[in-house]
Amino acid sequence: MSIRPILETRSAMPTMEGAGVHLHRAFGFQDPTELDPFLLFDDFRNEDPRDYMRGFPWHPHRGIETITYVLAGTVEHGDSLGNTGRLGAGDVQWMTAGSGILHQEMPQGNAKGQMHGFQLWGNLPSSLKMTAPRYQDVKGTEIPEVIDDDGTVVRVVVGSFWGKTGPVDGIAADPQYLDVSVPAGLKKTFKIDTYRRAFAYVFEGSASFADASRPSGVRLEKEVMGREVNIRDMSGDRTLVRFGTGDEVTVQAGPQGVRFLLISGAPIEEPVAWHGPIVMNTEDEIRKAISDLRNGTFIAAQH
Ligand code: FE2
């Protein structure tokens, strides 16, 4: 058993995307090796329709997967293949862009004007970058929820955990995407296989995460399981916690409890060439994608 060190904590940064949607970006467009196989994580929780109504009009994707998890409000989507749908509160969409789609994603708030959700980008390995596009739309009611005796609740959005398996399948990055709620004051350990890269995103309440390493400037507070570990306080909203190698994550919930996403996946470890919503292995492949867009062959490229 080894506690994963905390490599970094950071607040998601205010960012504008699409046609003028205010969101907070926890990571993305920086070092793609940091959280390989994941490229980007956006928190699009907003309370004011003016901050999201303009949405994300038609735009392309190639070479990646986008995973949208809605907590409140709805997102209408449509694409160049003729797919349309609406994601509601609790729903998940796993979109494998593969060789290419053009789509739009238009957030609609709920009756209170709230639009809450997250979008994660997963990379595809070179062997699957030009695979056929695929959607997996999952209703919230299909997502298994495990409630532990101590009141901890884990929604298994993707992957397997505590004997339950989420409905999304066939994903190269072997992701595990958990929505975890831990009651006030409770300490809880989650096992995450060593080969995975992992991060947490705290979005309600507060918590302390045990840290196996002891970088300078972080005070040593207590011992956990006979070893010296640091406990770092994660209070407040929209905090990314990036973990290093180990096989477990230990969290102690604050006085209001804590809710966070715990996401991990198998690193792809290939070169990354990144141009906006298109992520390939080489600059030549990026140039090909751009010329496909110009020539109207972006979608046809899959056939
Ligand atoms: Fe998109």
Side-chain angles (χ1 to χ4, degrees), residues 3-6 209-215 218 228-232:
I3 295 172
R4 286 178 177 253
I6 295 173
F209 286 84
D211 182 357
S213 68
R214 186 142 55 103
V218 178
E228 286 189 342
V229 294
N230 290 318
I231 301 292
R232 290 198 191 177

Side-chain angles (χ1 to χ4, degrees), residues 34 45 82 88-89 97 103 111 136 156 193 199 229 238 286 292:
E34 266 189 354
R45 287 174 300 150
H103 77 161
Q136 297 186 65
V156 186
D193 291 337
F199 70 93
V229 294
R238 309 184 199 276
I286 294 289
D292 282 343

Side-chain angles (χ1 to χ4, degrees), residues 159-220:
S160 296
F161 196 74
W162 287 352
K164 301 274 187 181
T165 300
V168 173
D169 67 13
I171 306 297
D174 184 20
Q176 186 180 57
Y177 188 134
L178 309 174
D179 176 354
V180 180
S181 300
V182 181
L186 198 71
K187 183 184 284 183
K188 203 74 190 164
T189 293
F190 300 90
K191 300 199 80 53
I192 304 175
D193 291 337
T194 309
Y195 69 90
R196 295 169 167 279
R197 297 268 166 81
F199 70 93
Y201 186 74
V202 179
F203 65 98
E204 279 179 27
S206 65
S208 301
F209 286 84
D211 182 357
S213 68
R214 186 142 55 103
S216 59
V218 178
R219 67 205 159 104
L220 182 68

Side-chain angles (χ1 to χ4, degrees), residues 108-302:
Q108 318 276 325
N110 62 16
K112 294 179 189 163
Q114 298 169 314
M115 181 69 243
H116 292 186
F118 307 106
Q119 187 169 86
L120 174 71
W121 289 12
N123 205 358
L124 284 168
S126 54
S127 57
L128 293 173
K129 283 207 178 281
M130 296 301 279
T131 192
R134 180 187 181 199
Y135 282 90
Q136 297 186 65
D137 282 345
V138 177
K139 288 282 166 213
T141 49
E142 297 171 48
I143 295 173
E145 192 170 88
V146 195
I147 303 176
D148 210 357
D149 293 343
D150 57 21
T152 300
V153 178
V154 178
R155 298 189 83 216
V156 186
V157 177
V158 180
S160 296
F161 196 74
W162 287 352
K164 301 274 187 181
T165 300
V168 173
D169 67 13
I171 306 297
D174 184 20
Q176 186 180 57
Y177 188 134
L178 309 174
D179 176 354
V180 180
S181 300
V182 181
L186 198 71
K187 183 184 284 183
K188 203 74 190 164
T189 293
F190 300 90
K191 300 199 80 53
I192 304 175
D193 291 337
T194 309
Y195 69 90
R196 295 169 167 279
R197 297 268 166 81
F199 70 93
Y201 186 74
V202 179
F203 65 98
E204 279 179 27
S206 65
S208 301
F209 286 84
D211 182 357
S213 68
R214 186 142 55 103
S216 59
V218 178
R219 67 205 159 104
L220 182 68
E221 286 200 346
K222 60 168 97 170
E223 292 194 352
V224 175
M225 292 179 287
R227 273 164 305 192
E228 286 189 342
V229 294
N230 290 318
I231 301 292
R232 290 198 191 177
D233 289 327
M234 297 302 122
S235 55
D237 212 3
R238 309 184 199 276
T239 305
L240 173 80
V241 186
R242 186 162 66 88
F243 298 108
T245 305
D247 61 12
E248 62 186 44
V249 164
T250 294
V251 61
Q252 175 145 21
Q256 278 82 46
V258 67
R259 187 172 178 192
F260 59 98
L261 304 179
L262 185 56
I263 297 176
S264 62
I268 291 171
E269 296 176 329
E270 290 181 358
V272 171
W274 192 337
H275 180 80
I278 300 166
V279 185
M280 306 301 288
N281 296 111
T282 67
E283 291 300 325
D284 272 353
E285 290 166 336
I286 294 289
R287 281 190 282 275
K288 172 76 165 70
I290 292 168
S291 84
D292 282 343
L293 276 169
R294 266 196 212 113
N295 300 335
T297 52
F298 189 78
I299 303 305
Q302 75 204 31

Side-chain angles (χ1 to χ4, degrees), residues 20 38 66 83 216 235 254:
F38 305 113
T66 67
N83 298 304
S216 59
S235 55

Side-chain angles (χ1 to χ4, degrees), residues 59 61 103 105:
H59 59 276
H61 287 288
H103 77 161
E105 302 158 287

Side-chain angles (χ1 to χ4, degrees), residues 10-154:
R10 72 169 84 125
S11 296
M13 296 292 291
T15 309
M16 191 90 87
E17 269 296 351
V21 176
H22 294 255
L23 50 79
H24 287 76
R25 179 159 292 156
F27 63 90
F29 292 102
Q30 290 174 334
D31 177 2
T33 64
E34 266 189 354
L35 282 163
D36 181 13
F38 305 113
L39 295 164
L40 174 145
F41 183 88
D42 281 347
D43 173 347
F44 58 86
R45 287 174 300 150
N46 277 307
E47 307 293 327
D48 183 343
R50 287 172 297 185
D51 290 339
Y52 57 78
M53 287 303 282
R54 287 184 286 268
F56 305 89
W58 293 100
H59 59 276
H61 287 288
R62 176 180 284 180
I64 63 167
E65 306 187 274
T66 67
I67 304 92
T68 308
Y69 181 31
V70 176
L71 298 179
T74 59
V75 178
E76 306 264 0
H77 64 92
D79 77 5
S80 51
L81 305 172
N83 298 304
T84 57
R86 172 189 291 212
L87 296 175
D91 297 349
V92 176
Q93 179 186 73
W94 194 290
M95 184 195 77
T96 306
S99 60
I101 58 117
L102 292 162
H103 77 161
Q104 60 174 348
E105 302 158 287
M106 304 306 283
Q108 318 276 325
N110 62 16
K112 294 179 189 163
Q114 298 169 314
M115 181 69 243
H116 292 186
F118 307 106
Q119 187 169 86
L120 174 71
W121 289 12
N123 205 358
L124 284 168
S126 54
S127 57
L128 293 173
K129 283 207 178 281
M130 296 301 279
T131 192
R134 180 187 181 199
Y135 282 90
Q136 297 186 65
D137 282 345
V138 177
K139 288 282 166 213
T141 49
E142 297 171 48
I143 295 173
E145 192 170 88
V146 195
I147 303 176
D148 210 357
D149 293 343
D150 57 21
T152 300
V153 178
V154 178

